[in-house]
Amino acid sequence: MAEGGWTLGIESTAHTLSFGLVDGNGLPYPSISDTVRPDKGGIHPREAADHHKEKAPELFARILSDNDLHPSEISSIAFSQGPGLGPCLRIGASIARGLSKKLNAPLIGVNHCVAHIEIGRQQCGCDDPVLLYVSGGNTQVIARLEGRYRVLGETLDIGIGNMLDKFARAHGIPFPGGPVIEKLALEWYSQNSEHSMEGLELPYAVRGMDLAFSGVLTAALKLVENGKPLGAVCWSLQEHVFSACVEVAERALSHTGKNELLLGGGVACNNRLRSMCQIMSNERDSQSFAPPRMYCIDNGTMIARLGWLEQGAGRNTPFAMSAIDQYLRTDQTPITWS
Ligand code: AMP
Ligand code: MG
């Protein structure tokens, strides 16, 4: 354990730089974050890294002042070691090494995907869930088996969040597009009494336990080009891709015999997805959990929480082993805590 001191977590895998804290008992405190929002186009890794570098001093000062902390009260520094965008990860790792050295606090490099799972378990109080991890760059269905979080199914092309963001961007909606698609879909749904999918059908993206989203994206863009209302297509898009995710999650529950489903990642902020998971779980006498939204999106607190768990398991990261790993997989990290 972190010996009564605080663990600082630094998240920098993609669009967001975030600092978060857990106390000596591993209890989370809200993050201080800033997200790059390009005027046009997608997230450029170099520009996002420059954003993170520029914002870091201000965010670090704020997490200390908001929690009335002196830097000397920080007893360990956790950071996202991967997976993510190389230039962004490198900034987070550099900040972490600098602080570790300055504060004489051990460094702990952690797996970003595992951090999403662990903050969800802590927040929701579930024990051994199947995780539906739906974010910008990742879409995975995961379960813990023999000391690892195993990926049972995942996207074969782009992440579900990236797909939603790309669809939004094609219609002039800036990043992050997911929340706006949710709003447009709900408006259309409430304003139309007939909820027919006729003429709004899209490819259904399940391949065994895996998923795919680029074909659905192309087909959804075509529907709008061919004159279907944007709100209607947003509704159809959500129904199709969320159903696909929930179908794989259900099969994972069935195969593993587990009875808890936990949502994680930015797309887990979506109310429609949350309610689909509830319905499916209720139908099979299982429970569905979704963490508070501030812990679904990328946040430093989840990195701090996993760092605290790793330290409790006796692990830290010597500087020589602290290089980032863009392609770190969920199942590469041993899970030794209960
Ligand atoms: P993350 O990569 O986990 O930080 O999540 C970011 C992604 O979550 C982006 O692709 C957002 O568009 C998406 N997102 C955030 N809120 C929502 C929402 N309410 N509905 C759908 N997607 C969302
Ligand atoms: Mg994430």
Side-chain angles (χ1 to χ4, degrees), residues 11 13-15 83 112-113 116 133-138 264-266 296-299 302:
E11 160 56 29
T13 52
H15 43 71
H112 172 93
C113 306
H116 273 291
Y133 170 37
V134 278
S135 72
N138 298 288
C296 286
I297 55 172
D298 287 349
N299 65 92
M302 68 182 190

PDB file of all heavy atoms in Angstrom, residues 11 13-15 83 112-113 116 133-138 264-266 296-299 302, ligand 2:
ATOM      1  N   GLU A  11      -2.715  10.653 -16.648  1.00  0.00           N
ATOM      2  CA  GLU A  11      -3.295  10.033 -17.844  1.00  0.00           C
ATOM      3  C   GLU A  11      -2.982  10.917 -19.052  1.00  0.00           C
ATOM      4  O   GLU A  11      -3.247  12.121 -19.012  1.00  0.00           O
ATOM      5  CB  GLU A  11      -4.825   9.913 -17.638  1.00  0.00           C
ATOM      6  CG  GLU A  11      -5.650   9.756 -18.901  1.00  0.00           C
ATOM      7  CD  GLU A  11      -5.237   8.579 -19.769  1.00  0.00           C
ATOM      8  OE1 GLU A  11      -4.722   7.573 -19.241  1.00  0.00           O
ATOM      9  OE2 GLU A  11      -5.421   8.686 -20.996  1.00  0.00           O
ATOM     10  N   THR A  13      -3.007   9.218 -22.616  1.00  0.00           N
ATOM     11  CA  THR A  13      -2.918   8.279 -23.748  1.00  0.00           C
ATOM     12  C   THR A  13      -3.357   8.882 -25.084  1.00  0.00           C
ATOM     13  O   THR A  13      -2.922   8.437 -26.132  1.00  0.00           O
ATOM     14  CB  THR A  13      -3.778   7.020 -23.508  1.00  0.00           C
ATOM     15  OG1 THR A  13      -5.096   7.435 -23.160  1.00  0.00           O
ATOM     16  CG2 THR A  13      -3.213   6.158 -22.402  1.00  0.00           C
ATOM     17  N   ALA A  14      -4.266   9.849 -25.047  1.00  0.00           N
ATOM     18  CA  ALA A  14      -4.786  10.372 -26.318  1.00  0.00           C
ATOM     19  C   ALA A  14      -5.148  11.845 -26.194  1.00  0.00           C
ATOM     20  O   ALA A  14      -4.283  12.692 -25.998  1.00  0.00           O
ATOM     21  CB  ALA A  14      -5.974   9.530 -26.763  1.00  0.00           C
ATOM     22  N   HIS A  15      -6.434  12.124 -26.241  1.00  0.00           N
ATOM     23  CA  HIS A  15      -6.922  13.519 -26.317  1.00  0.00           C
ATOM     24  C   HIS A  15      -6.861  14.279 -25.009  1.00  0.00           C
ATOM     25  O   HIS A  15      -6.945  15.492 -24.976  1.00  0.00           O
ATOM     26  CB  HIS A  15      -8.378  13.497 -26.795  1.00  0.00           C
ATOM     27  CG  HIS A  15      -9.186  12.418 -26.135  1.00  0.00           C
ATOM     28  ND1 HIS A  15      -9.550  12.463 -24.816  1.00  0.00           N
ATOM     29  CD2 HIS A  15      -9.636  11.227 -26.623  1.00  0.00           C
ATOM     30  CE1 HIS A  15     -10.208  11.363 -24.502  1.00  0.00           C
ATOM     31  NE2 HIS A  15     -10.276  10.586 -25.594  1.00  0.00           N
ATOM     32  N   PRO A  83      -1.908   1.275 -23.564  1.00  0.00           N
ATOM     33  CA  PRO A  83      -1.658   1.620 -24.956  1.00  0.00           C
ATOM     34  C   PRO A  83      -2.132   3.043 -25.237  1.00  0.00           C
ATOM     35  O   PRO A  83      -2.880   3.604 -24.438  1.00  0.00           O
ATOM     36  CB  PRO A  83      -2.533   0.608 -25.715  1.00  0.00           C
ATOM     37  CG  PRO A  83      -3.701   0.377 -24.799  1.00  0.00           C
ATOM     38  CD  PRO A  83      -3.156   0.507 -23.400  1.00  0.00           C
ATOM     39  N   HIS A 112      -3.476   1.312 -19.190  1.00  0.00           N
ATOM     40  CA  HIS A 112      -4.642   2.197 -19.257  1.00  0.00           C
ATOM     41  C   HIS A 112      -5.971   1.423 -19.282  1.00  0.00           C
ATOM     42  O   HIS A 112      -6.934   1.813 -18.616  1.00  0.00           O
ATOM     43  CB  HIS A 112      -4.498   3.065 -20.520  1.00  0.00           C
ATOM     44  CG  HIS A 112      -5.673   3.902 -20.860  1.00  0.00           C
ATOM     45  ND1 HIS A 112      -5.804   5.203 -20.444  1.00  0.00           N
ATOM     46  CD2 HIS A 112      -6.791   3.634 -21.588  1.00  0.00           C
ATOM     47  CE1 HIS A 112      -6.941   5.706 -20.894  1.00  0.00           C
ATOM     48  NE2 HIS A 112      -7.565   4.778 -21.595  1.00  0.00           N
ATOM     49  N   CYS A 113      -6.018   0.334 -20.034  1.00  0.00           N
ATOM     50  CA  CYS A 113      -7.276  -0.422 -20.159  1.00  0.00           C
ATOM     51  C   CYS A 113      -7.629  -1.076 -18.820  1.00  0.00           C
ATOM     52  O   CYS A 113      -8.800  -1.084 -18.402  1.00  0.00           O
ATOM     53  CB  CYS A 113      -7.169  -1.493 -21.245  1.00  0.00           C
ATOM     54  SG  CYS A 113      -6.642  -0.837 -22.823  1.00  0.00           S
ATOM     55  N   HIS A 116      -9.216   1.399 -16.474  1.00  0.00           N
ATOM     56  CA  HIS A 116     -10.664   1.592 -16.686  1.00  0.00           C
ATOM     57  C   HIS A 116     -11.453   0.525 -15.917  1.00  0.00           C
ATOM     58  O   HIS A 116     -12.492   0.802 -15.335  1.00  0.00           O
ATOM     59  CB  HIS A 116     -11.015   1.475 -18.175  1.00  0.00           C
ATOM     60  CG  HIS A 116     -10.895   2.760 -18.939  1.00  0.00           C
ATOM     61  ND1 HIS A 116     -11.748   3.820 -18.752  1.00  0.00           N
ATOM     62  CD2 HIS A 116     -10.050   3.137 -19.923  1.00  0.00           C
ATOM     63  CE1 HIS A 116     -11.419   4.807 -19.593  1.00  0.00           C
ATOM     64  NE2 HIS A 116     -10.390   4.417 -20.311  1.00  0.00           N
ATOM     65  N   TYR A 133     -15.831  -2.614 -22.536  1.00  0.00           N
ATOM     66  CA  TYR A 133     -14.950  -1.446 -22.531  1.00  0.00           C
ATOM     67  C   TYR A 133     -15.067  -0.755 -23.887  1.00  0.00           C
ATOM     68  O   TYR A 133     -14.595  -1.268 -24.898  1.00  0.00           O
ATOM     69  CB  TYR A 133     -13.524  -1.918 -22.231  1.00  0.00           C
ATOM     70  CG  TYR A 133     -12.435  -0.901 -22.420  1.00  0.00           C
ATOM     71  CD1 TYR A 133     -12.626   0.446 -22.107  1.00  0.00           C
ATOM     72  CD2 TYR A 133     -11.182  -1.271 -22.901  1.00  0.00           C
ATOM     73  CE1 TYR A 133     -11.621   1.378 -22.279  1.00  0.00           C
ATOM     74  CE2 TYR A 133     -10.165  -0.351 -23.062  1.00  0.00           C
ATOM     75  CZ  TYR A 133     -10.389   0.962 -22.750  1.00  0.00           C
ATOM     76  OH  TYR A 133      -9.392   1.882 -22.924  1.00  0.00           O
ATOM     77  N   VAL A 134     -15.765   0.358 -23.882  1.00  0.00           N
ATOM     78  CA  VAL A 134     -16.097   1.042 -25.136  1.00  0.00           C
ATOM     79  C   VAL A 134     -15.576   2.480 -25.072  1.00  0.00           C
ATOM     80  O   VAL A 134     -16.144   3.328 -24.414  1.00  0.00           O
ATOM     81  CB  VAL A 134     -17.621   1.033 -25.393  1.00  0.00           C
ATOM     82  CG1 VAL A 134     -18.066  -0.264 -26.005  1.00  0.00           C
ATOM     83  CG2 VAL A 134     -18.426   1.301 -24.124  1.00  0.00           C
ATOM     84  N   SER A 135     -14.475   2.737 -25.789  1.00  0.00           N
ATOM     85  CA  SER A 135     -13.897   4.082 -25.714  1.00  0.00           C
ATOM     86  C   SER A 135     -13.596   4.575 -27.118  1.00  0.00           C
ATOM     87  O   SER A 135     -14.037   3.987 -28.103  1.00  0.00           O
ATOM     88  CB  SER A 135     -12.658   4.048 -24.837  1.00  0.00           C
ATOM     89  OG  SER A 135     -11.623   3.399 -25.497  1.00  0.00           O
ATOM     90  N   GLY A 136     -12.820   5.667 -27.181  1.00  0.00           N
ATOM     91  CA  GLY A 136     -12.471   6.210 -28.487  1.00  0.00           C
ATOM     92  C   GLY A 136     -11.703   5.186 -29.304  1.00  0.00           C
ATOM     93  O   GLY A 136     -12.146   4.748 -30.366  1.00  0.00           O
ATOM     94  N   GLY A 137     -10.567   4.755 -28.791  1.00  0.00           N
ATOM     95  CA  GLY A 137      -9.677   3.878 -29.548  1.00  0.00           C
ATOM     96  C   GLY A 137      -9.878   2.394 -29.302  1.00  0.00           C
ATOM     97  O   GLY A 137      -9.347   1.576 -30.040  1.00  0.00           O
ATOM     98  N   ASN A 138     -10.601   2.031 -28.254  1.00  0.00           N
ATOM     99  CA  ASN A 138     -10.728   0.609 -27.885  1.00  0.00           C
ATOM    100  C   ASN A 138     -12.182   0.158 -27.806  1.00  0.00           C
ATOM    101  O   ASN A 138     -13.039   0.926 -27.373  1.00  0.00           O
ATOM    102  CB  ASN A 138     -10.100   0.360 -26.504  1.00  0.00           C
ATOM    103  CG  ASN A 138      -8.614   0.661 -26.492  1.00  0.00           C
ATOM    104  OD1 ASN A 138      -7.822  -0.071 -27.055  1.00  0.00           O
ATOM    105  ND2 ASN A 138      -8.255   1.765 -25.858  1.00  0.00           N
ATOM    106  N   GLY A 264     -17.326   0.441 -19.180  1.00  0.00           N
ATOM    107  CA  GLY A 264     -16.194   1.350 -18.983  1.00  0.00           C
ATOM    108  C   GLY A 264     -15.843   2.032 -20.282  1.00  0.00           C
ATOM    109  O   GLY A 264     -16.264   1.595 -21.362  1.00  0.00           O
ATOM    110  N   GLY A 265     -15.063   3.130 -20.212  1.00  0.00           N
ATOM    111  CA  GLY A 265     -14.682   3.889 -21.408  1.00  0.00           C
ATOM    112  C   GLY A 265     -15.680   5.008 -21.679  1.00  0.00           C
ATOM    113  O   GLY A 265     -16.816   4.981 -21.185  1.00  0.00           O
ATOM    114  N   GLY A 266     -15.261   5.974 -22.473  1.00  0.00           N
ATOM    115  CA  GLY A 266     -16.058   7.187 -22.701  1.00  0.00           C
ATOM    116  C   GLY A 266     -17.450   6.928 -23.264  1.00  0.00           C
ATOM    117  O   GLY A 266     -18.418   7.629 -22.918  1.00  0.00           O
ATOM    118  N   CYS A 296     -15.762   7.252 -16.381  1.00  0.00           N
ATOM    119  CA  CYS A 296     -15.846   6.495 -17.646  1.00  0.00           C
ATOM    120  C   CYS A 296     -14.872   7.082 -18.654  1.00  0.00           C
ATOM    121  O   CYS A 296     -14.131   6.352 -19.317  1.00  0.00           O
ATOM    122  CB  CYS A 296     -17.257   6.573 -18.226  1.00  0.00           C
ATOM    123  SG  CYS A 296     -18.460   5.570 -17.352  1.00  0.00           S
ATOM    124  N   ILE A 297     -14.890   8.414 -18.794  1.00  0.00           N
ATOM    125  CA  ILE A 297     -13.944   9.052 -19.720  1.00  0.00           C
ATOM    126  C   ILE A 297     -12.526   8.898 -19.158  1.00  0.00           C
ATOM    127  O   ILE A 297     -12.351   8.579 -17.983  1.00  0.00           O
ATOM    128  CB  ILE A 297     -14.290  10.556 -19.925  1.00  0.00           C
ATOM    129  CG1 ILE A 297     -14.346  11.253 -18.578  1.00  0.00           C
ATOM    130  CG2 ILE A 297     -15.585  10.700 -20.694  1.00  0.00           C
ATOM    131  CD1 ILE A 297     -14.494  12.751 -18.674  1.00  0.00           C
ATOM    132  N   ASP A 298     -11.531   9.153 -20.002  1.00  0.00           N
ATOM    133  CA  ASP A 298     -10.146   9.025 -19.545  1.00  0.00           C
ATOM    134  C   ASP A 298      -9.910   9.978 -18.377  1.00  0.00           C
ATOM    135  O   ASP A 298     -10.271  11.158 -18.464  1.00  0.00           O
ATOM    136  CB  ASP A 298      -9.191   9.352 -20.698  1.00  0.00           C
ATOM    137  CG  ASP A 298      -9.171   8.242 -21.740  1.00  0.00           C
ATOM    138  OD1 ASP A 298      -9.726   7.162 -21.464  1.00  0.00           O
ATOM    139  OD2 ASP A 298      -8.600   8.472 -22.820  1.00  0.00           O
ATOM    140  N   ASN A 299      -9.300   9.474 -17.315  1.00  0.00           N
ATOM    141  CA  ASN A 299      -9.091  10.306 -16.127  1.00  0.00           C
ATOM    142  C   ASN A 299      -7.870   9.829 -15.350  1.00  0.00           C
ATOM    143  O   ASN A 299      -7.535   8.636 -15.364  1.00  0.00           O
ATOM    144  CB  ASN A 299     -10.351  10.276 -15.247  1.00  0.00           C
ATOM    145  CG  ASN A 299     -10.620   8.894 -14.680  1.00  0.00           C
ATOM    146  OD1 ASN A 299     -10.167   8.572 -13.588  1.00  0.00           O
ATOM    147  ND2 ASN A 299     -11.336   8.041 -15.429  1.00  0.00           N
ATOM    148  N   MET A 302      -8.206   7.028 -12.258  1.00  0.00           N
ATOM    149  CA  MET A 302      -8.159   5.569 -12.477  1.00  0.00           C
ATOM    150  C   MET A 302      -6.707   5.090 -12.568  1.00  0.00           C
ATOM    151  O   MET A 302      -6.388   3.963 -12.167  1.00  0.00           O
ATOM    152  CB  MET A 302      -8.957   5.173 -13.733  1.00  0.00           C
ATOM    153  CG  MET A 302      -8.373   5.632 -15.041  1.00  0.00           C
ATOM    154  SD  MET A 302      -9.424   5.150 -16.433  1.00  0.00           S
ATOM    155  CE  MET A 302      -8.331   5.543 -17.808  1.00  0.00           C
TER     156      MET A 302
HETATM  157 MG    MG B   2      -9.654   5.282 -22.312  1.00  0.00          MG
END
